[in-house]
Amino acid sequence: TILNNVAIVCDSAKLYLSNVSIVNENISLTYPKGFEGAPITCKGSTTINYLGTNYFRGTRYSSAQGGPFKDYDGIQVDSGNSLILNGNGSLEASGSNLAAGIGSGWISSQTNNTVSGNITIHSGYINAYSTQNGAGIGGCYEGVNGNIVIDGGSVHASSWESGAGIGTGAIILGTPQHGGSVMINGGTVEAVGGQIDGGAGIGGGFGSHGVNVTISDGTVTAKGGTGGAGIGSGKVYNGIPLISGDITLSGGNVTAV
């Protein structure tokens, strides 16, 4: 099933997906531009079960020239909400510009240091990425992650420009912040920080402190962008010292560069 400009809102629900593609596009030449809403927005405690091949792409929405704009995730999980992902297939989620792939969306008029909701991944193949300054999984630009748990599956998370692969987005307007935690208990995880202004593979985006990271099992590869840690903080901005957060490794096969 291929859909365009659709917004599904799950409020403490179970959503079952099988070979679903939702692409929200910014194609209008006049205002309002874009589509207002993420392909999937998770409220309350939501569980998504997926089969086959699934793809979700958020877009930028602006109601008027020069006015505030919104960047939406492929799957949006804002503060105070939670998402559980169970799969026997693949799921790809792409965030627009300053949004995360899976996590918090960006609103230009909001206060800094937005926090994403909690995200738990049990199984399946997941590819989540931000096209600019958000994290692949976690916080948007100027935003930090909630608690992220990966128990299994194969997870690839990346930021194109300056967010962490898993963790916070770039933070250059507000005060550097610590995000929530990242816990990996199994599976195969590849996390790649933004390559232009270095985000950490797992941890902080450009200008952001790291987050508390616990790895007990699984195969984990964490690659920081230029100046960003594999696991830890992002690249320093304006000379402000950054702190990595607590990193606990008790098992698994971990490579951090």
Side-chain angles (χ1 to χ4, degrees):
T1 303
I2 300 175
L3 303 170
N4 296 98
N5 295 341
V6 170
I8 297 173
V9 178
C10 300
D11 193 345
S12 298
K14 289 185 178 180
L15 177 64
Y16 294 86
L17 303 170
S18 180
N19 296 310
V20 176
S21 175
I22 300 177
V23 177
N24 293 346
E25 298 179 291
N26 187 352
I27 58 176
S28 174
L29 298 178
T30 59
Y31 289 91
K33 288 186 175 182
F35 180 80
E36 189 170 16
I40 299 176
T41 298
C42 301
K43 296 182 177 296
S45 179
T46 292
T47 298
I48 296 177
N49 301 283
Y50 60 93
L51 300 171
T53 302
N54 304 275
Y55 174 61
F56 306 99
R57 187 178 80 193
T59 191
R60 169 170 287 184
Y61 172 81
S62 182
S63 59
Q65 186 171 9
F69 60 84
K70 302 175 183 179
D71 282 331
Y72 290 100
D73 298 35
I75 299 178
Q76 192 144 325
V77 192
D78 289 321
S79 179
N81 304 293
S82 64
L83 167 66
I84 297 173
L85 288 166
N86 300 306
N88 188 14
S90 66
L91 186 152
E92 182 173 340
S94 169
S96 170
N97 297 313
L98 308 181
I102 300 175
S104 58
W106 165 254
I107 302 174
S108 62
S109 59
Q110 71 189 2
T111 58
N112 295 327
N113 302 139
T114 300
V115 182
S116 76
N118 298 327
I119 299 164
T120 301
I121 298 170
H122 287 314
S123 56
Y125 174 81
I126 291 175
N127 182 18
Y129 51 95
S130 170
T131 55
Q132 280 190 11
N133 305 110
I137 299 176
C140 62
Y141 174 61
E142 300 295 329
V144 300
N145 58 291
N147 297 319
I148 299 170
V149 178
I150 300 174
D151 288 327
S154 179
V155 178
H156 180 87
S158 61
S159 174
W160 172 252
E161 188 165 319
S162 59
I166 300 174
T168 83
I171 298 178
I172 61 174
L173 299 178
T175 303
Q177 297 288 317
H178 290 286
S181 64
V182 176
M183 179 179 294
I184 299 174
N185 301 315
T188 300
V189 178
E190 182 178 29
V192 181
Q195 299 299 297
I196 296 176
D197 285 313
I202 301 175
F206 178 42
S208 177
H209 297 310
V211 306
N212 294 335
V213 178
T214 302
I215 300 174
S216 62
D217 203 352
T219 299
V220 179
T221 303
K223 301 177 182 178
T226 302
I231 301 176
S233 67
K235 178 181 177 181
V236 170
Y237 174 70
N238 265 357
I240 300 174
L242 299 175
I243 302 170
S244 68
D246 296 332
I247 301 171
T248 304
L249 307 178
S250 62
N253 185 353
V254 180
T255 302
V257 294

